[in-house]
Amino acid sequence: MTQFKHLFSKVKIGNTELKNRILSTAHQTNYVENGIPTPEMLAYHVARAKGGAGLIILEAAAVHSSGMLTSHTIAGFDEKVIPAYVEIAKKLHQYGTKVFSQLFHGGREVVSSDYRNAAWSSSSEPSFRFGIMPRPMNIEEIKDVIDGYGISALMAKRAGLDGVEICCSHGYLPAQFWSSNTNYRTDEYGGTFENRMRFIVEILQRVWEYVGDDFTVGIRMSADEMTMDGTNVADAVKIVEYLVENVRVDFINVTSGDSSTYAGSTHIVPPSPIKHAYNSPHSFKIRMAGAVPVFVGSRIIDPVDADKIVGAGKADMVGMTRALIVDPELPNKAIRGDLQSIDACLGCIQACIGHYSRGLPIGCVQNPMAGKEKELLPLVQSVKVKQKVLVIGAGPAGLHASLTADAEGHEVILVEQSNEIGGLLQTMRKAPLRQEVAETMLDNYTRKLARSNIDVQLGRKITFEKIEEIKPDVIICAVGSRPYIPHVEGTDDPRVLTVDQLFNGNAGSIGKRVLVFDLMGDWPGIEAAIHLKEKNHDVTLYSAKVHIGKEIHQYLVNEYLKKLYQLKVDVRPHFDFGGIHNNQVKLRNLFTHESELINEWDTIVLATGRVPNYELYEKVKGMAPVVKQIGDCLAPRTIEEATYEGLTSALEIGVISSGIPV
Ligand SMILES: Cc1cc2nc3c(=O)[nH]c(=O)nc-3n(C[C@H](O)[C@H](O)[C@H](O)COP(=O)(O)O)c2cc1C
Ligand code: SF4
């Protein structure tokens, strides 16, 4: 008997019986070629079905050629998707997981395309975020798109999927019709509330005409678009009341956010530090208003929270999308009460939506296997000979390598010169907005280490004698990086600090006036500025980038900018640090090459990147049959590369024959 009696109770949604309440909501994998899901997408979802998810909603599938979000959008309206859908349905059903398709038209929201089609919408109202001005759809186009929803639902049904979700969330096309903020039409699809609702009502009617009663059809909507002018919870309640009165809707999947605005877009995939489960008060209101089953998601990562949400009647299904990206086995682990072995999502958004936005296949910082199931499972399944593995350095790369090697049955010794694990995570955990990311990752690894057979030796500097004594078959160097200091005058001034020194308490007296220099456009400079301003220093943040946070995903940049504005941090992009001359700090404009001098300052904080600790590898590379270097000591990059190289370097150890392909 499981402790999660609500989460693991069965439920009927429309015509679909679900074995539990755990849902993977629609999310693009970018594993789509010519409109068709690829075998990589299949392998990705099979892992989550095998792990016990009750329902998987496949990623947005365009209902019409005018509605492709990117060149890697599923062509849901085209019968060429059927064979791939058949395969997905067949494989997922083997694990008792049900599968829906998400029917999608972005309207004015077009992320990217090889050729920029004319964007369609209810009216010519721009998407500010993508800089797109759509043209108003004429009546024939409206009828054609409505028909596209019906045809796409039929494709899903013919392929053996269990249902469809019509995407009305995040300000996509149906919402562009129902919102008075975007719909300025004067015909029967605009003006009054009933007229603005006509588009979605006709979509649902047409879908039912195509699929018949023995299918499941619901919608996804943003209860609060989180914008200055868009739909709020009161509007959403009114929309739901009207819909359920006028047409059959089997479920409402509640989320928040809006694609067309910066602040709204954050909520499409909310990063840390946005609160866990923050949509569940909204879903409760929608459930009460509509008296139909409701799904809710966004930052729900803990089965305890998910169980409470169902138990309290706030939702019937709980979206745990990134929680399942990180740990596909979460449902199986939760049902048997093995909570300690669950890896939690960090909320970093780096490799899930971060990859999507860069046109790359889905990945995950904490689980580098995610999205690479097809490529890496044969390596996991290959026959290996047991090896003695010495891992030097317990940052994310070394930790991931050690734990993977241990799970593969090797003998692992992990040596770390500091007294704690984590490497740079120990710095990151002191950064105000990155704290949760670092602490969650540290917690994931700490719990795993405690359950492993790894011989963890903290506070020990590795020596040649020690290596000779261990006689490892494999050495993995994962000794990280150190701050890069620009080669300009004055950096040896004691008033010049690195971000590492600032956060690790080696700062001394900082004084009132602090200049922070960000060279790389990543989190350290911004976090240093926020940290100092919160402690009442006068802070100017200089950035050598076109805009602040240039290398960070937009949704997180939105949160950083909000914070910087709230704190009134003085932000100046386009300058680098030109050194200190006669007690004056030189700023150099990257475009004009003109310099400015600053006389009044007390402390300079440098966030100017990192250099690799490559020396150890050069010294030990002959001391074992296999010696590798991974993560920052190979080249300073991000945690994503660190965990990926940790995984792959360990999976390659001792392989003697290749595994069975998936
Ligand atoms: C890579 C990625 C792609 C996404 N694509 C879609 C999509 O196609 N349709 C959609 O409605 N939501 C999409 N989302 C949003 C998710 O469905 C979900 O609402 C979001 O990840 C927040 O839930 P979570 O905290 O459980 O992950 C996407 C999310 C991610 C991470
Ligand atoms: S990349 Fe980060 S936010 Fe995305 S699923 Fe992985 S841990 Fe979670």
Side-chain angles (χ1 to χ4, degrees):
M1 175 72 184
T2 173
Q3 71 188 92
F4 302 117
K5 63 176 197 295
H6 307 295
L7 195 57
F8 291 100
S9 58
K10 291 183 183 162
V11 64
K12 189 162 185 205
I13 305 290
N15 271 296
T16 311
E17 298 254 10
L18 299 169
K19 64 176 176 179
N20 64 43
R21 312 303 185 95
I22 300 177
L23 158 70
S24 172
T25 57
H27 60 288
Q28 282 116 340
T29 56
N30 264 339
Y31 281 130
V32 179
E33 288 302 332
N34 300 319
I36 304 172
T38 67
E40 284 79 6
M41 189 200 290
L42 173 66
Y44 170 80
H45 286 302
V46 164
R48 275 117 202 117
K50 198 169 165 206
L55 173 63
I56 290 177
I57 303 182
L58 299 177
E59 64 200 78
V63 297
H64 192 269
S65 58
S66 60
M68 307 289 273
L69 202 51
T70 73
S71 314
H72 294 286
T73 306
I74 299 176
F77 55 88
D78 192 330
E79 62 183 1
K80 71 185 180 190
V81 298
I82 290 181
Y85 273 176
V86 166
E87 201 55 21
I88 292 174
K90 212 168 63 191
K91 283 265 168 50
L92 269 50
H93 287 161
Q94 281 172 10
Y95 296 100
T97 301
K98 297 295 165 66
V99 51
F100 291 178
S101 162
Q102 186 184 62
L103 306 187
F104 181 88
H105 194 301
R108 65 180 179 167
E109 302 303 311
V110 182
V111 176
S112 67
S113 54
D114 298 341
Y115 160 74
R116 198 158 157 173
N117 284 313
W120 292 2
S121 185
S122 52
S123 305
S124 275
E125 280 299 303
S127 166
F128 291 111
R129 191 160 68 104
F130 296 123
I132 288 173
M133 181 57 82
R135 63 183 211 84
M137 294 162 73
N138 62 34
I139 295 292
E140 292 74 39
E141 287 163 346
I142 290 176
K143 301 285 180 203
D144 207 33
V145 168
I146 290 173
D147 209 43
Y149 281 95
I151 291 169
S152 305
L154 183 63
M155 297 301 151
K157 188 177 184 201
R158 276 174 46 197
L161 303 194
D162 303 285
V164 292
E165 168 183 276
I166 294 159
C167 183
C168 310
S169 56
H170 307 121
Y172 297 124
L173 189 60
Q176 288 161 34
F177 270 86
W178 75 36
S179 169
S180 59
N181 189 38
T182 42
N183 184 340
Y184 293 95
R185 302 179 72 92
T186 51
D187 61 9
E188 67 267 37
Y189 290 96
T192 63
F193 174 72
E194 287 71 20
N195 278 359
R196 285 184 277 113
M197 290 298 291
R198 192 179 308 282
F199 186 63
I200 181 62
V201 170
E202 289 185 0
I203 288 172
L204 282 158
Q205 286 167 342
R206 185 60 49 85
V207 166
W208 286 119
E209 280 164 26
Y210 269 100
V211 296
D213 287 345
D214 58 339
F215 203 49
T216 303
V217 181
I219 67 162
R220 187 172 213 202
M221 71 184 296
S222 292
D224 189 337
E225 290 185 344
M226 306 277 197
T227 61
M228 283 188 272
D229 309 307
T231 304
N232 58 28
V233 181
D235 301 323
V237 163
K238 188 173 165 195
I239 288 167
V240 167
E241 283 170 350
Y242 182 83
L243 263 188
V244 298
E245 252 190 64
N246 286 282
V247 64
R248 175 177 155 191
V249 186
D250 290 337
F251 65 89
I252 295 175
N253 185 357
V254 175
T255 183
S256 55
D258 160 62
S259 170
S260 72
T261 55
Y262 290 124
S265 68
T266 306
H267 299 276
I268 300 177
V269 188
S272 166
I274 287 175
K275 264 176 49 190
H276 289 195
Y278 67 105
N279 280 328
S280 56
H282 301 336
S283 63
F284 182 69
K285 288 189 185 138
I286 298 290
R287 194 165 184 254
M288 293 299 104
V292 286
V294 160
F295 307 171
V296 72
S298 287
R299 301 224 72 216
I300 303 169
I301 62 172
D302 186 339
V304 175
D305 291 345
D307 191 66
K308 279 191 197 147
I309 287 169
V310 179
K314 290 180 177 170
D316 301 271
M317 293 292 293
V318 183
M320 301 186 79
T321 307
R322 281 172 292 167
L324 291 165
I325 296 176
V326 175
D327 197 338
E329 285 291 322
L330 179 148
N332 288 342
K333 289 175 180 175
I335 202 168
R336 58 175 192 260
D338 188 9
L339 302 188
Q340 286 302 312
S341 73
I342 294 176
D343 279 328
C345 170
L346 315 175
C348 66
I349 68 169
Q350 185 176 329
C352 47
I353 194 68
H355 276 204
Y356 173 71
S357 303
R358 287 189 284 143
L360 303 171
I362 193 160
C364 175
V365 166
Q366 179 67 76
N367 173 16
M369 191 82 183
K372 300 200 171 61
E373 291 79 4
K374 185 164 184 306
E375 175 193 333
L376 293 178
L377 273 177
L379 198 53
V380 175
Q381 291 161 348
S382 58
V383 180
K384 287 156 193 151
V385 62
K386 184 174 173 177
Q387 302 275 281
K388 191 188 242 192
V389 183
L390 170 64
V391 180
I392 310 170
L399 288 166
H400 218 96
S402 304
L403 288 161
T404 308
D406 175 69
E408 294 288 291
H410 301 296
E411 180 187 345
V412 183
I413 302 156
L414 172 61
V415 180
E416 162 60 49
Q417 68 175 1
S418 101
N419 290 322
E420 47 196 7
I421 63 161
L424 260 181
L425 293 175
Q426 294 293 350
T427 305
M428 197 193 245
R429 75 191 296 197
K430 291 160 197 145
L433 273 70
R434 296 274 77 186
Q435 200 173 1
E436 186 196 354
V437 170
E439 292 197 339
T440 307
M441 198 167 208
L442 283 165
D443 185 51
N444 286 339
Y445 285 133
T446 304
R447 282 184 284 111
K448 277 195 152 161
L449 278 184
R451 297 160 65 95
S452 75
N453 296 311
I454 301 171
D455 175 5
V456 183
Q457 303 184 9
L458 298 181
R460 286 194 78 163
K461 205 170 159 75
I462 198 74
T463 59
F464 294 131
E465 295 72 38
K466 177 83 183 161
I467 296 176
E468 273 159 9
E469 189 191 310
I470 294 171
K471 287 195 183 37
D473 301 303
V474 178
I475 300 176
I476 298 180
C477 296
V479 290
S481 57
R482 53 189 181 266
Y484 164 73
I485 307 294
H487 298 281
V488 292
E489 199 179 321
T491 52
D492 54 350
D493 189 305
R495 294 169 296 175
V496 178
L497 303 175
T498 62
V499 171
D500 294 39
Q501 287 169 319
L502 175 74
F503 283 132
N504 292 319
N506 309 325
S509 163
I510 291 176
K512 186 73 180 161
R513 181 89 185 93
V514 187
L515 315 179
V516 178
F517 285 93
D518 168 26
L519 190 68
M520 306 305 274
D522 203 346
W523 62 270
I526 305 178
E527 292 278 353
I530 292 170
H531 168 82
L532 288 161
K533 189 72 188 192
E534 282 181 333
K535 293 194 171 343
N536 287 324
H537 297 278
D538 280 347
V539 183
T540 304
L541 172 59
Y542 295 96
S543 170
K545 291 284 178 180
V546 167
H547 64 78
I548 293 292
K550 171 80 173 49
E551 305 309 322
I552 305 168
H553 192 278
Q554 180 68 57
Y555 303 164
L556 183 56
V557 173
N558 299 339
E559 289 302 291
Y560 275 138
L561 287 173
K562 182 167 81 184
K563 193 78 181 172
L564 290 167
Y565 273 109
Q566 283 168 341
L567 290 170
K568 300 191 170 40
V569 173
D570 183 19
V571 175
R572 293 193 68 191
H574 312 156
F575 289 95
D576 80 354
F577 174 53
I580 307 168
H581 309 266
N582 301 325
N583 213 32
Q584 292 177 311
V585 178
K586 191 181 194 182
L587 308 175
R588 300 186 308 181
N589 185 296
L590 299 174
F591 298 100
T592 64
H593 293 184
E594 286 167 0
S595 295
E596 286 178 31
L597 294 172
I598 298 182
N599 291 310
E600 288 190 15
W601 62 281
D602 296 304
T603 297
I604 288 170
V605 177
L606 296 181
T608 43
R610 308 188 70 79
V611 290
N613 292 330
Y614 61 92
E615 298 85 352
L616 182 81
Y617 172 78
E618 294 302 327
K619 288 181 189 151
V620 304
K621 65 186 178 195
M623 295 190 74
V626 178
V627 182
K628 301 173 181 228
Q629 57 180 343
I630 59 170
D632 267 14
C633 70
L634 179 62
R637 287 150 297 159
T638 70
I639 327 180
E640 182 185 346
E641 290 76 25
T643 55
Y644 177 72
E645 287 167 10
L647 174 78
T648 50
S649 63
L651 284 181
E652 286 158 4
I653 294 171
V655 173
I656 48 175
S657 80
S658 64
I660 313 121
V662 273

